[in-house]
Amino acid sequence: MPKYRFTTDDGRLLDVSPDRLDLPNDEAAACEAQRALAGMATDRLPNGAHLDMSVSVQNEASEVIYQASLEFNGANGAELRSKNAQTDSPSTNGSHRSRKDSSGSGGRVR
């Protein structure tokens, strides 16, 4: 059975495991990495307004076969209102651009 090494970064600790896990194949290793990332998010949140986490998997040849990351951004009501006020106010040079898509599609992807 193939062996895989996992490296995780929970935003505070980079963990390069010296141990390798026996897993049936690359797909199983990727699924295990996804579960690890979800577990890290559960353990670390809530923890402020921003958090970056990542996991990567190496095969026995030390090749990265899977990589995933998760970015969390949170804001309370006052922070959202302040950010929206800054975004909606005209720039200091007098020009103001609408946030609406100028292609005429209304921002929709076809």
Side-chain angles (χ1 to χ4, degrees):
M1 190 173 292
K3 295 180 182 281
Y4 298 89
R5 174 177 289 146
F6 290 74
T7 300
T8 59
D9 183 352
D10 70 359
R12 145 185 88 181
L13 176 66
L14 177 66
D15 182 14
V16 182
S17 175
D19 301 325
R20 293 185 178 265
L21 295 178
D22 292 329
L23 295 165
N25 52 40
D26 290 1
E27 185 177 334
C31 288
E32 186 64 28
Q34 291 170 4
R35 282 190 286 277
L37 192 57
M40 289 172 13
T42 299
D43 291 345
R44 294 278 290 136
L45 294 173
N47 185 31
H50 183 82
L51 182 60
D52 286 316
M53 297 169 278
S54 63
V55 61
S56 66
V57 183
Q58 293 178 332
N59 62 15
E60 291 175 295
S62 296
E63 300 167 325
V64 175
I65 58 105
Y66 185 78
Q67 196 169 329
S69 63
L70 181 65
E71 179 181 4
F72 173 83
N73 289 299
N76 64 32
E79 292 166 335
L80 290 171
R81 286 186 294 278
S82 174
K83 183 177 182 180
N84 286 338
Q86 292 172 2
T87 304
D88 291 339
S89 66
S91 64
T92 56
N93 69 2
S95 66
H96 180 72
R97 293 186 186 195
S98 169
R99 288 194 272 171
K100 190 172 183 176
D101 182 2
S102 62
S103 69
S105 68
R108 292 184 301 270
V109 177
R110 296 178 195 211

